[in-house]
Amino acid sequence: MKLQRKNRRALALGALAVSGALALTACGSDDTSGGNGGSGDSSASAQTGNIQCDDAKGQLQASGSSAQKNAIDAWVKNYTAACKDVQVNYRPDGSGAGITAFLQGQTAFAGSDSALKPEEIEDSKKICTDGQAIDLPMVGGPIAIGYNVPGVDELVLDAATISAIFDSKIDNWNDEKIAKLNPDAKLPDLKIQAFHRSDESGTTDNFTKYLKAAAPKAWPYEPGKSWEAKGGQSAQGSSGVAQQVKQVEGAISYFELSYAKEGIKTVDVKTEAAEPVKATIENATAAIGAAKVVGTGKDLALELDYTPEAEGAYPLVLVTYEIACDKGNKADTLPATKSFLNYMASEDGQALLADAGYAPMPEEIITKVRDTISSLS
């Protein structure tokens, strides 16, 4: 098992190395992305040569995960610079809303930080003629726990303490349980302001799956896209909770690492390993590399390990799936859907992810994704 993990990690890090020469500026808001801008950008032009537009044209409507928005922005910029007859409109309104819109036939594909549930796959047969919806893992990354505690530049928390904070069982930053994990920190007498997502969110789903798996006694709630714990405050989307952490002293929340910018500090998570683990792309890749494909047929849903024991494996990770029909996609948008998804899964597309704060999919997984996209009909 250790050898397999090393091999997977090596494969994923190889993808990371490719990204080192790329320059990318990612936006951190939850506004609609899309349009045909950026064609005059030299960095974009350098990355559009291998994009296959085929017969793609028209508007491509999609929505869902806000966690992947910064990656989508980068992809859209390069793709529409090459494929000028296509306009991609992605609304980052949350995984739950994205799946709902897709199942109602409003979008060509959806983004979700959680794999489809069996009942959602069954519902998809109404819009996927002679087929069903499938999960295509496209974006990976750590769920960072960002905090705003003046004078505390490094903070270590374990799953039980994180659970207690987000369940309103620990309400002050100088609590003895936090102090025990941070003996050298000068923790202030400051009220904790815990923020969670107000919308249905795959990030919330993965965050609560981690808490349930790593601290089952401390987290009594079932994982899910909707927030179930007591107390706390809420905000819309990944950018919404990140903005609260940036602005509010004493705040703490969870969001994809690409939103932990402009001075937001992140928690080091204590696991079964000897040293606490930082929220980095490399450490998330180490954990995602151990994921197993558990979907059937063309579905590539993954099973993540939220309690890794390996050194340097960050336990709080998510994978964002693009959800499309395996058969029965709308004829007028199928060429653009396949063309855009192909670019996202390509070497060039995956190479953009690290600079945007994401982890590319391990090679053995993304190869299956490419094969599946080519077979969409």
Side-chain angles (χ1 to χ4, degrees):
M1 178 59 72
K2 290 184 178 179
L3 181 59
Q4 290 177 339
R5 287 183 177 178
K6 287 181 179 178
N7 289 338
R8 287 168 174 158
R9 186 173 184 180
L11 287 168
L13 291 178
L16 287 174
V18 176
S19 66
L22 301 176
L24 173 67
T25 300
C27 173
S29 71
D30 275 356
D31 298 331
T32 303
S33 58
N36 292 325
S39 59
D41 188 290
S42 60
S43 63
S45 299
Q47 299 166 39
T48 58
N50 295 325
I51 296 176
Q52 301 298 315
C53 302
D54 299 324
D55 298 321
K57 59 184 178 180
Q59 290 198 0
L60 190 60
Q61 303 291 342
S63 66
S65 164
S66 64
Q68 72 166 354
K69 179 191 179 294
N70 295 334
I72 291 284
D73 283 349
W75 283 325
V76 168
K77 180 179 180 180
N78 287 349
Y79 178 80
T80 54
C83 303
K84 300 182 185 302
D85 292 333
V86 182
Q87 182 177 8
V88 182
N89 299 306
Y90 182 83
R91 291 197 61 82
D93 46 9
S95 299
I99 291 174
T100 297
F102 177 78
L103 293 178
Q104 292 176 349
Q106 299 174 8
T107 54
F109 70 91
S112 175
D113 304 324
S114 298
L116 291 164
K117 298 177 181 178
E119 58 268 27
E120 292 169 337
I121 293 177
E122 188 62 30
D123 286 347
S124 72
K125 296 177 181 179
K126 299 174 184 176
I127 63 162
C128 300
T129 307
D130 297 325
Q132 65 177 46
I134 56 173
D135 299 287
L136 300 170
M138 197 72 73
V139 181
I143 300 174
I145 302 175
Y147 69 96
N148 182 346
V149 183
V152 180
D153 294 327
E154 294 187 1
L155 184 69
V156 175
L157 297 175
D158 58 17
T161 307
I162 297 168
S163 297
I165 288 172
F166 281 91
D167 197 23
S168 302
K169 300 291 177 59
I170 294 178
D171 58 10
N172 199 291
W173 281 108
N174 65 0
D175 186 278
E176 61 180 9
K177 292 181 180 178
I178 300 177
K180 186 176 181 180
L181 291 165
N182 299 273
D184 297 327
K186 294 181 179 180
L187 298 168
D189 181 7
L190 178 66
K191 181 177 174 60
I192 294 174
Q193 307 282 350
F195 285 89
H196 57 266
R197 291 280 292 273
S198 60
D199 52 320
E200 284 199 353
S201 161
T203 310
T204 295
D205 190 23
N206 284 277
F207 181 63
T208 53
K209 282 178 179 176
Y210 159 71
L211 296 178
K212 189 67 173 179
K217 293 182 179 179
W219 191 256
Y221 312 99
E222 288 302 312
K225 293 185 179 72
S226 299
W227 188 257
E228 300 293 337
K230 309 301 181 186
Q233 303 175 65
S234 65
Q236 174 81 19
S238 295
S239 67
V241 291
Q243 188 68 15
Q244 292 299 319
V245 171
K246 183 180 178 182
Q247 294 178 345
V248 179
E249 282 195 1
I252 185 171
S253 190
Y254 56 92
F255 36 79
E256 210 281 330
L257 182 62
S258 65
Y259 290 91
K261 295 183 177 181
E262 299 180 12
I264 295 180
K265 292 168 286 192
T266 61
V267 169
D268 296 348
V269 178
K270 181 174 174 54
T271 66
E272 294 301 318
E275 297 294 330
V277 187
K278 294 185 178 296
T280 67
I281 299 303
E282 179 180 349
N283 292 345
T285 300
I288 295 172
K292 299 177 181 178
V293 176
V294 294
T296 58
K298 293 183 179 180
D299 186 82
L300 298 175
L302 301 177
E303 181 178 80
L304 297 170
D305 181 3
Y306 294 102
T307 57
E309 297 180 1
E311 296 293 332
Y314 186 75
L316 237 176
V317 296
L318 63 76
V319 168
T320 293
Y321 301 91
E322 312 312 329
I323 294 169
C325 297
D326 59 354
K327 297 179 181 179
N329 291 280
K330 295 179 181 178
D332 57 339
T333 57
L334 177 60
T337 299
K338 292 181 69 172
S339 175
F340 185 52
L341 292 179
N342 267 322
Y343 169 58
M344 293 163 69
S346 70
E347 288 187 11
D348 288 349
Q350 290 289 298
L352 289 176
L353 292 178
D355 284 343
Y358 300 92
M361 287 293 98
E363 190 64 27
E364 64 268 30
I365 293 175
I366 202 65
T367 297
K368 295 177 181 178
V369 171
R370 293 167 186 156
D371 291 342
T372 303
I373 292 171
S374 67
S375 70
L376 298 181
S377 63

